[in-house]
Amino acid sequence: MIDKEIIKIASNTENHGVLDNHTHFSKLKNPICGDEMKIYLIVKNNSIENFKYECESCIYCQASVSLLSRKAKNKSIEKLINFVEHAKNCFEKNKNSFDKGWKEFDKIMTKKNISRKECLLLPLNTTLNALNKKTL
């Protein structure tokens, strides 16, 4: 059964959509299940100014990208990269503790959701991919 918290987080779609004037973009597909993620970013002065997404994916992926799109805004690229590194390792531990500013991820990046790890990490990996290349 799907956790009610996952559904609640995923239902917040305020950042769903396209950013026409994006500075960074990436599209990745999860080879395991076919989930697809598109991330649009506006980065200025090494900080994420705006974050939009489009996805054709499961509820876990949607919850992760919804939370990420809200929490990444106005954060430095360095802080985002540090968060992603921490997130990739959090499924092995029994207790998570994300830094202030990323705390809500404690609700979804848990050992009980390890079977959905790739779904939960797809938005993070897509965002990292976007930051590694600039669009024209």
Side-chain angles (χ1 to χ4, degrees):
M1 190 165 130
I2 296 175
D3 187 334
K4 283 188 175 107
E5 194 65 40
I6 296 268
I7 296 167
K8 186 177 156 200
I9 293 168
S11 67
N12 182 332
T13 57
E14 68 184 76
N15 293 314
H16 185 269
V18 178
L19 267 177
D20 291 329
N21 57 339
H22 60 271
T23 58
H24 295 70
F25 169 80
S26 179
K27 175 180 159 184
L28 289 182
K29 196 170 191 164
N30 182 339
I32 298 166
C33 64
D35 282 356
E36 197 172 275
M37 182 64 50
K38 293 178 185 173
I39 301 286
Y40 304 86
L41 303 172
I42 294 177
V43 177
K44 286 189 180 153
N45 302 322
N46 230 19
S47 181
I48 295 165
E49 199 171 89
N50 205 346
F51 188 124
K52 295 274 186 190
Y53 65 90
E54 292 182 300
C55 58
E56 290 179 32
S57 61
C58 70
I59 196 94
Y60 291 90
C61 209
Q62 291 169 31
S64 181
V65 75
S66 173
L67 207 46
L68 184 64
S69 68
R70 288 179 277 136
K71 297 300 175 186
K73 282 185 187 174
N74 303 313
K75 293 231 177 24
S76 70
I77 290 172
E78 185 184 353
K79 279 188 178 159
L80 179 77
I81 291 169
N82 289 340
F83 160 72
V84 172
E85 290 308 312
H86 181 72
K88 285 182 178 180
N89 300 317
C90 74
F91 293 93
E92 322 309 323
K93 300 174 189 147
N94 285 322
K95 186 80 182 105
N96 294 351
S97 59
F98 286 102
D99 294 342
K100 195 178 75 149
W102 304 104
K103 258 306 182 216
E104 284 182 70
F105 280 92
D106 281 341
K107 296 173 184 172
I108 62 171
M109 303 271 185
T110 63
K111 196 168 184 154
K112 74 177 174 130
N113 289 333
I114 195 160
S115 66
R116 304 314 292 260
K117 179 179 178 178
E118 295 308 315
C119 304
L120 289 161
L121 291 178
L122 182 63
L124 283 64
N125 289 325
T126 309
T127 303
L128 275 188
N129 197 45
L131 291 170
N132 285 327
K133 63 178 188 182
K134 263 191 163 173
T135 56
L136 300 172

